[in-house]
Amino acid sequence: MLHDPFELPTFIIQTIQQAGFEAYFVGGAVRDMLLHREIGDVDIATSALPQQVIKLFPKTIEVGIRHGTVVVLHKGESFEVTTFRNEGDYEEHRRPKDVTFISSLSEDLQRRDFTINAIAMTGSGALIDPFDGQADIQKQMIRCVGDATERFYEDGLRMLRAIRFVSQLSFVLSDDTKAGISRCNNILKHISVERITAEFEKIMRGNNSHIAFQLLAELKIYKYLPHCANKQIEFEQLANYKWHSLQKNEEFWTLFTMLLKMETPGKFLRSWKLPVKLIRSVEINIRYFNMLLASEWTKTTLYQCGLEHAEQIERIRAVVHQNDGTERLHNIKKMYASLPIISRKELVVNGNDLQAWFNKKPGPWLKEYINNIEMAIVNGDVENEVENIKEWLLHCNLKLENNC
């Protein structure tokens, strides 16, 4: 009996077969089924031409018809159906200049990157494995289909994908795969930063990332990552940390940036084409991480930092100092829960109130007074009540040059 994710698309395979064509499940879904991993997108390869596929189904999208791919919509889900094909020469070590539609499944599988991704499955669950991908799964090995140098020359990103599988699957690289990467690593300079970043994030998040980082250093791939050409020693040291303890992208990028000792984090992260919001979060994490090197959390710093960042920083600190960190996380959550307010929006007074009380026009003093009130409430010097705040201000007789 097939795994649940294959139940809906089995209808697509049966429909194509009933029309006289071949159709098979291919790629990552078959691999992940054999690995007993969660299955994502289910892809289908077929001998039917794109226009023939379109005629067989009432709802389709012509997303990549030039390269043989049609998306078939079935019961609210979408499935990519791609015609068997050969690929011509590759442009910029990324995409084929042209494709030739063929009728042979084995030739179609031959163009794929790794043997573990070159296994097909029939609608009834029978496996077709011309390149011994199942054996490599048993060996926990990443091996290219055919000549490794040719595969990497076609698409340089495959080198990072190989290392990503090491990180995610805890597999090892075959000797010929490693040799191919060593010969072709400079091809990465032709690959877009966006594609490199997407793979690198998956490498950082893998359970075996420490081995992946060793490979990035050993195979000199780090030289072709943004602003990392002179960071061999730092890359070698990345393997000393338990990255899998981290949770969010901001945490991974924070630790990576700090361990590489980047003096201008924002500039470094922008070179990876990362979102502005993520870059700002990393900068906040680094600022408070460095501040905590000389002191501990106070109500003020925790309030200013916010719980989300504080939790991220504590997970990063636990990785850096190689300790559990659970108790510290519990303590900052407890401290945060005890704060009388967690945002300036919760203040019961505003600038209009202060102008009326002091009969003064708006100016820099207003911001300073609000800040004073905010911190006084956070530190428990005054309750967040209108009359209490007014009495406290008048008692302190706050002035621009004086903090109460």
Side-chain angles (χ1 to χ4, degrees), residues 105-125:
L105 172 66
S106 60
E107 287 186 51
D108 180 79
L109 295 176
Q110 190 171 358
R111 69 179 173 81
R112 297 176 185 271
D113 50 8
F114 308 114
T115 60
I116 63 172
N117 294 333
I119 306 170
M121 185 172 70
T122 67
S124 59

Side-chain angles (χ1 to χ4, degrees), residues 60-306:
T60 60
I61 305 173
E62 300 177 17
V63 291
I65 196 167
R66 177 173 167 242
H67 292 99
T69 300
V70 174
V71 171
V72 175
L73 304 176
H74 178 57
K75 292 189 175 181
E77 295 192 30
S78 59
F79 303 94
E80 286 192 2
V81 179
T82 303
T83 303
F84 299 156
R85 69 192 193 192
N86 274 331
E87 297 176 341
D89 294 335
Y90 278 64
E91 293 180 311
E92 300 177 350
H93 307 284
R94 176 181 176 183
R95 62 173 73 85
K97 291 180 181 178
D98 52 65
V99 300
T100 302
F101 299 136
I102 56 178
S103 58
S104 168
L105 172 66
S106 60
E107 287 186 51
D108 180 79
L109 295 176
Q110 190 171 358
R111 69 179 173 81
R112 297 176 185 271
D113 50 8
F114 308 114
T115 60
I116 63 172
N117 294 333
I119 306 170
M121 185 172 70
T122 67
S124 59
L127 295 173
I128 301 167
D129 183 14
F131 304 104
D132 295 326
Q134 293 175 87
D136 286 335
I137 286 175
Q138 291 296 320
K139 297 174 187 174
Q140 297 186 313
M141 179 175 291
I142 304 299
R143 181 167 60 88
C144 291
V145 175
D147 184 77
T149 300
E150 289 183 12
R151 297 291 81 75
F152 295 139
Y153 189 82
E154 290 166 350
D155 185 352
L157 195 70
R158 287 171 172 170
M159 292 181 282
L160 281 179
R161 289 191 75 207
I163 293 176
R164 187 239 294 181
F165 287 133
V166 170
S167 182
Q168 291 180 327
L169 305 180
S170 298
F171 278 26
V172 298
L173 300 181
S174 68
D175 290 340
D176 59 331
T177 301
K178 290 179 71 172
I181 292 175
S182 293
R183 286 191 292 267
C184 300
N185 54 25
N186 66 332
I187 292 174
L188 280 168
K189 64 187 177 185
H190 299 289
I191 306 301
S192 72
V193 172
E194 291 85 354
R195 294 180 81 210
I196 289 174
T197 297
E199 290 295 330
F200 191 77
E201 285 188 339
K202 295 173 184 176
I203 288 172
M204 287 194 292
R205 298 183 73 97
N207 288 332
N208 209 30
S209 59
H210 61 291
I211 301 299
F213 286 128
Q214 288 179 3
L215 289 170
L216 291 173
E218 174 189 346
L219 301 175
K220 309 298 182 185
I221 287 180
Y222 71 91
K223 289 185 176 182
Y224 304 99
L225 301 180
H227 284 234
C228 294
N230 300 316
K231 295 293 182 178
Q232 180 173 354
I233 294 175
E234 287 83 358
F235 258 87
E236 290 172 349
Q237 293 174 345
L238 296 179
N240 297 330
Y241 299 91
K242 296 180 179 179
W243 292 72
H244 58 81
S245 299
L246 304 179
Q247 296 182 8
K248 298 185 177 181
N249 264 358
E250 292 88 342
E251 298 168 34
F252 288 96
W253 284 107
T254 299
L255 181 59
F256 179 59
T257 304
M258 291 194 307
L259 293 180
L260 260 60
K261 302 175 183 176
M262 291 298 178
E263 295 181 0
T264 52
K267 180 179 179 181
F268 171 65
L269 296 168
R270 284 192 293 273
S271 73
W272 287 78
K273 302 294 181 69
L274 291 165
V276 172
K277 183 178 179 181
L278 185 146
I279 294 173
R280 288 174 180 168
S281 291
V282 171
E283 289 177 322
I284 291 171
N285 286 347
I286 293 175
R287 182 166 72 249
Y288 280 93
F289 182 97
N290 290 334
M291 184 181 66
L292 291 169
L293 293 175
S295 62
E296 283 296 330
W297 290 107
T298 64
K299 288 184 176 181
T300 298
T301 55
L302 185 55
Y303 171 80
Q304 293 172 333
C305 179

Side-chain angles (χ1 to χ4, degrees), residues 378-389:
V378 168
N379 289 311
D381 297 330
V382 62
E383 293 183 8
N384 189 30
E385 301 288 344
V386 174
E387 291 303 318
N388 289 339
I389 293 171

